[in-house]
Amino acid sequence: AQSVTQLDSHVSVSEGTPVLLRCNYSSSYSPSLFWYVQHPNKGLQLLLKYTSAATLVKGINGFEAEFKKSETSFHLTKPSAHMSDAAEYFCVVSDRASGGSYIPTFGRGTSLIVHP
Amino acid sequence: SAVISQKPSRDICQRGTSLTIQCQVDSQVTMMFWYRQQPGQSLTLIATANQGSEATYESGFVIDKFPISRPNLTFSTLTVSNMSPEDSSIYLCSVEGTSLGMDLTDTQYFGPGTRLTVL
């Protein structure tokens, strides 16, 4: 069984300040972990993915995430927020279910608000 | 990268009617997935659609309410039947990256979604 918890429903930052979106997961296997972003009235875009090759994963738009197995966390960060980063962010865990297919589980989402 | 498109992008429907949503991928894929995203909520998997077999539905979703077709390797439809206001959601289709020939295995790639409002 797998699950994912996004610890904050909303995060509010000022433009130019760091961003931290928190995510904790549980999985019976060695999971793959993802962050997706959804801008208003848009579909989901893959930001980055962790697959065990490296614990620090760099994604698009300056975002990165660090996998910490001891803490079962996969927090998303960005050094300096931009107004265009305002969106909904989803943390996703996926492990190989019986039958061999990967079925992802989505967190509830964190709304990132960026103030000028 | 592959393109995933959905039609319609949005619709407003009357209760009791049905709407069929189309998902088209510009390359052949084995598995396609349908999700629902209710207002202010996360994504919930409705069903997995494999070409040539019946769709596999998740708990809480039934074929009579959400019939799915998968006539070939590039296309799928999801019908929302006998709609009620509770069906107002964004419906998204996705495919797994390995099916698209991408390096990112077990990664889902999403269409733009269909925003449905039921009055």
Side-chain angles (χ1 to χ4, degrees):
Chain A
Q2 59 189 22
S3 67
V4 59
T5 302
Q6 291 183 244
L7 298 165
D8 307 294
S9 59
H10 296 83
V11 170
S12 182
V13 301
S14 297
E15 189 175 22
T17 64
V19 175
L20 170 63
L21 305 183
R22 298 182 294 166
C23 174
N24 286 99
Y25 72 92
S26 68
S27 174
S28 303
Y29 306 92
S30 296
S32 294
L33 295 160
F34 311 81
W35 278 97
Y36 286 85
V37 60
Q38 185 179 34
H39 287 92
N41 300 314
K42 300 288 187 183
L44 274 76
Q45 180 182 18
L46 179 67
L47 269 181
L48 51 81
K49 172 187 177 184
Y50 165 77
T51 57
S52 79
T55 57
L56 184 63
V57 183
K58 294 188 183 299
I60 62 172
N61 301 335
F63 284 94
E64 62 183 35
E66 185 172 9
F67 173 73
K68 292 186 177 180
K69 186 175 182 178
S70 61
E71 299 176 11
T72 61
S73 69
F74 190 57
H75 301 333
L76 182 70
T77 60
K78 183 173 180 177
S80 176
H82 191 274
M83 294 297 292
S84 61
D85 294 328
E88 192 80 14
Y89 291 80
F90 294 96
C91 182
V92 180
V93 62
S94 180
D95 59 31
R96 191 173 287 277
S98 59
S101 59
Y102 285 91
I103 303 297
T105 297
F106 283 75
R108 65 175 181 172
T110 298
S111 179
L112 177 62
I113 301 162
V114 183
H115 299 286
Chain B
S1 61
V3 175
I4 306 169
S5 60
Q6 287 185 234
K7 290 182 180 179
S9 59
R10 60 178 61 232
D11 207 343
I12 300 173
C13 301
Q14 298 296 321
R15 71 169 64 216
T17 63
S18 297
L19 176 72
T20 295
I21 303 168
Q22 300 177 9
C23 180
Q24 179 77 50
V25 187
D26 69 355
S27 60
Q28 294 184 337
V29 297
T30 306
M31 297 174 70
M32 297 178 74
F33 304 85
W34 285 99
Y35 288 83
R36 181 176 72 182
Q37 185 181 22
Q38 294 177 299
Q41 303 295 316
S42 187
L43 277 72
T44 302
L45 181 64
I46 297 172
T48 304
N50 291 328
Q51 196 271 335
S53 63
E54 294 288 326
T56 302
Y57 289 83
E58 297 299 305
S59 176
F61 297 96
V62 295
I63 188 171
D64 289 346
K65 176 67 176 177
F66 296 102
I68 288 172
S69 78
R70 184 76 204 277
N72 57 51
L73 291 173
T74 63
F75 187 77
S76 178
T77 67
L78 170 76
T79 299
V80 186
S81 303
N82 188 25
M83 289 183 286
S84 67
E86 292 70 34
D87 294 320
S88 297
S89 296
I90 300 172
Y91 292 86
L92 299 107
C93 69
S94 73
V95 303
E96 190 182 353
T98 47
S99 297
L100 300 173
M102 296 183 177
D103 291 336
L104 293 181
T105 60
D106 71 62
T107 303
Q108 299 267 326
Y109 290 88
F110 288 85
T114 296
R115 185 177 297 272
L116 170 62
T117 302
V118 184
L119 302 177

